[in-house]
Amino acid sequence: MLLFLAAGMASAQTSEEHINLDTPTGRIAGTLQLPAALEGKPRVALIIAGSGPTDRDGNNPLIPGRNDSLRMLAVALAEEGIATLRYDKRGVAASLPAGPTESELRFENYVEDAAAWVARLKADPRFGPVAVIGHSEGSLIGMLAAQQAGAAAFVSIAGIADGPSAVLRKQLAGKLPPELDKESERILASLEKGTTVDQVPPALLTLYRPSVQPYMISWFKYVPSERIAALTMPVLIVQGNTDIQVAVAQANALYRAKPDATLAIIPGMNHIFKHVRADPALQAAAYSDPSLPVSPLLVKAVGDFLKKVD
């Protein structure tokens, strides 16, 4: 099913509750966003942030200012009667102490944490069906965790379909001198086979430093289009058409892999859920502007989908 959306949101107060997930390596911090009145057992969704040090509210310390995208989405869904839990991934923000050293981190750590949060929500008597919402890199984490923990539904927002190594190749194409390009391909091919590389040219150390290679090997194993095809729960794929980080083609590829999913293309929405034209200067400013609201069309797409989940 393909949706092109238009229209409205309700308005109501919501409340926040801070909770923690204890793990063998430390405590992971989360925030429950609750509807004003918990009538019956509301549906609840785990929200998984994207890559790097992006925190539970959608903010990245490497980018000046705030955009508060994930927090705004959580509040908007609570106003629609849907509870959410968002959290700082291990090694990020308030969950920094739970992070292992870079050489010990594996992609599966993020998946296991998300699955543990789902189990925590499923065991909470206040809530009904538990869904997973994954944004950007969090989409792949969410696919794996939703399957592992038996979530009732899965939502991908701005998720990629291609494997991580394929995406990296595209990003590097034409940007390296011939010799470095050859070296990069040698290293990538080795990591794809599960083998670390000792000899890395100094110019490529930032990307392929030895301490990050085990994580890359663990991450490269998963191709999102293959993983979403294996899901048996209801799936919603959402993509904004002014997203300059992830193209609509990626959402279409996910949909081709999972044709019984619902695909929602949000006109004018960028990577952080804001209505911004595909102008680089406007896009950059949006990442540091918390006054911009999240797209009501996104809230409607996700809210309508989750309300149908049993």
Side-chain angles (χ1 to χ4, degrees), residues 32-45 77-78 80-84 121-122 124-131 306-307 309-310:
L32 274 170
Q33 198 79 38
L34 302 169
L38 288 176
E39 299 178 1
K41 290 190 173 186
R43 293 163 175 81
V44 61
L77 289 174
E80 294 288 327
I82 299 166
T84 60
L121 292 172
K122 289 174 75 172
D124 193 319
R126 293 175 293 176
F127 302 123
V130 180
L306 292 179
K307 288 173 185 177
V309 172
D310 297 321

Side-chain angles (χ1 to χ4, degrees), residues 75-226:
V75 169
L77 289 174
E79 290 175 347
E80 294 288 327
I82 299 166
T84 60
L85 190 153
R86 62 191 192 276
Y87 65 101
D88 295 332
K89 295 196 296 291
R90 62 174 58 240
V92 174
S95 302
L96 183 63
T101 62
E102 184 173 74
S103 62
E104 295 174 332
L105 181 65
R106 301 294 183 272
F107 189 75
E108 289 84 1
N109 296 144
Y110 294 137
V111 176
E112 290 160 4
D113 291 340
W117 277 120
V118 172
R120 173 81 171 266
L121 292 172
K122 289 174 75 172
D124 193 319
R126 293 175 293 176
F127 302 123
V130 180
V132 173
I133 300 171
H135 175 234
S136 195
E137 184 184 82
S139 171
L140 176 55
I141 296 170
M143 291 175 200
L144 298 168
Q147 184 177 46
Q148 181 175 316
F154 172 67
V155 178
S156 170
I157 307 177
I160 63 170
D162 298 334
S165 58
V167 172
L168 187 53
R169 276 194 179 88
K170 288 181 182 177
Q171 291 174 340
L172 293 173
K175 296 179 181 177
L176 296 173
E179 282 305 311
L180 279 182
D181 184 64
K182 186 177 179 180
E183 284 295 287
S184 177
E185 179 54 34
R186 174 183 67 85
I187 296 168
L188 263 179
S190 180
L191 297 178
E192 286 174 324
K193 294 175 183 176
T195 304
T196 57
V197 176
D198 294 329
Q199 300 299 319
V200 179
L204 296 176
L205 275 175
T206 300
L207 185 58
Y208 300 120
R209 58 194 178 277
S211 59
V212 82
Q213 289 182 29
Y215 177 83
M216 297 178 81
I217 288 171
S218 72
W219 183 31
F220 287 176
K221 292 187 293 186
Y222 303 104
V223 177
S225 59
E226 295 174 359

Side-chain angles (χ1 to χ4, degrees), residues 9 57-59 64-74 76 135 157-158 238-245 266-279 282-299:
M9 288 168 53
D57 290 339
N59 301 316
R66 310 187 328 272
N67 64 73
D68 288 340
S69 55
L70 297 181
R71 181 182 182 278
M72 290 181 185
L73 176 61
H135 175 234
I157 307 177
V238 186
Q239 179 65 48
N241 70 358
T242 58
D243 185 336
I244 61 173
Q245 290 186 242
I266 310 294
M269 187 182 80
N270 74 355
H271 193 67
I272 54 167
F273 318 154
K274 312 296 180 81
H275 282 285
V276 182
R277 297 198 308 273
D279 175 287
L282 294 176
Q283 292 277 348
Y287 280 67
S288 303
D289 186 354
S291 71
L292 292 175
V294 296
S295 167
L297 304 182
L298 169 67
V299 177

Side-chain angles (χ1 to χ4, degrees), residues 6-30:
M9 288 168 53
S11 178
Q13 292 184 341
T14 73
S15 63
E16 288 187 349
E17 177 183 317
H18 296 288
I19 64 172
N20 298 308
L21 180 71
D22 290 320
T23 78
T25 60
R27 181 168 288 178
I28 298 175

Side-chain angles (χ1 to χ4, degrees), residues 253-271:
L254 287 175
Y255 185 46
R256 285 195 300 272
K258 183 69 175 172
D260 60 345
T262 298
L263 173 64
I265 306 298
I266 310 294
M269 187 182 80
N270 74 355
H271 193 67

